[in-house]
Amino acid sequence: LGDVYKRQKYIKTFKTITSDKLEVIGVSVKEGQDLTGTELGPEALRQAGLMKVLEDLGWNVVDHGNIVSQELALTGDEIPASEIEKYYTTLKHADLLGKTCQSLHNKVKEFSSRNSFSLVLGGDHGIATGTISGLIETYPDLKIIWVDAHGDCNIPESSPSGNYHGMPVAHLLGWFKKQVKGFEWLTTKLKPENIVFIGLRDIDEDEKDLLNNNKIKYFSIHEIDKYGIGEIMENTIKYLGLDKEGQHAVHLSYDIDAVDHSHVPGTGTRARGGLSYSCLLYTSPSPRDS
């Protein structure tokens, strides 16, 4: 009975979500960048025992399996010549990624609309476009804590690779000047004051200008080393207004490359000098406890 009580007490710390249902969806996709392996992320997490951990915390877990990008049917329609100037044509696999993110958007919107905790398992951070846009449908003032080595806020004009995994935040913020084939459904926008980056250390020059010119709040790994993760998270909570009375929906978006690659050698986008394992763990309970 003591363990049951502790689990129920944990779930009751969440103010916006009053249900004990936690709905899981995996997204098996590799097309957001040039390496293979990211599509294996959801199953790797399940095999590592994630569902048992969630159940031990007291959640009523419902696993909806995976959205598999390779199984999605594309229309194959070409952009009409009269419309081509309205579209970006340099993004790799845009149509397939758009379909994948749309499917995820619909799932997360469904989960959140019934007051469930939504947990998305991925491997490619480009899927965040589907997750966050789906949550914003339910929580228009959604707050985002983005834990990552990279800003993921390039625009097609500044992207050195054309890979979508480096662009989802810019897309969500409405910085794209043209349409993207496959993403015509994306109409929701993230408010720039509603996101904070934690752990940045590998940012393109144009990307840095975009962050600064748009006054996006971020804490670099240098600031974490200087002030400590505790103070950084306190400042994040205050900046997002999570310390004030009322209910605030918060989404934590993690990229494993935020952690130093000595702890996670399997990441495909290594950047030296990342977060320690204990620092990463600290980022999770802070917003919940607010």
Side-chain angles (χ1 to χ4, degrees), residues 27 29 32 97 100-102 104-106 108 120-136 142 144-148 151-152 164-173 183 185-186 188 190 195 197 251-255:
V27 186
V29 59
L97 291 168
T100 304
C101 285
Q102 183 179 24
L104 177 59
H105 167 100
N106 292 336
V108 172
V120 179
L121 311 179
D124 185 308
H125 218 170
I127 66 171
T129 301
T131 304
I132 292 172
S133 63
L135 287 170
I136 289 175
L142 181 72
I144 308 292
I145 299 175
W146 188 284
V147 185
D148 202 331
D152 293 355
Y164 187 76
H165 75 157
M167 307 184 204
V169 178
H171 205 177
L172 285 161
L173 288 167
F183 284 92
W185 55 271
L186 181 62
T188 52
L190 173 66
I195 184 169
F197 288 91
H251 173 66
L252 275 71
S253 192
Y254 288 101
D255 194 318

Side-chain angles (χ1 to χ4, degrees), residues 67-80:
I67 297 168
V68 181
S69 64
Q70 292 291 315
E71 295 177 356
L72 295 174
L74 301 180
T75 61
D77 296 337
E78 295 294 326
I79 302 171

Side-chain angles (χ1 to χ4, degrees), residues 8-20 59 112 114-117 138-139 237 241-251 284-290:
Q8 291 174 341
K9 186 177 179 181
Y10 167 78
I11 293 174
K12 287 178 180 178
T13 61
F14 291 86
K15 298 175 183 177
T16 304
I17 294 172
T18 55
S19 168
D20 69 347
W59 291 107
S112 58
R114 55 181 175 239
N115 206 28
S116 296
F117 189 111
T138 304
Y139 310 110
I237 298 299
L242 301 178
D243 58 332
K244 299 176 182 177
E245 287 297 322
Q247 293 186 343
H248 306 279
V250 187
H251 173 66
S284 181
S286 297
R288 185 202 73 207
D289 294 341
S290 69

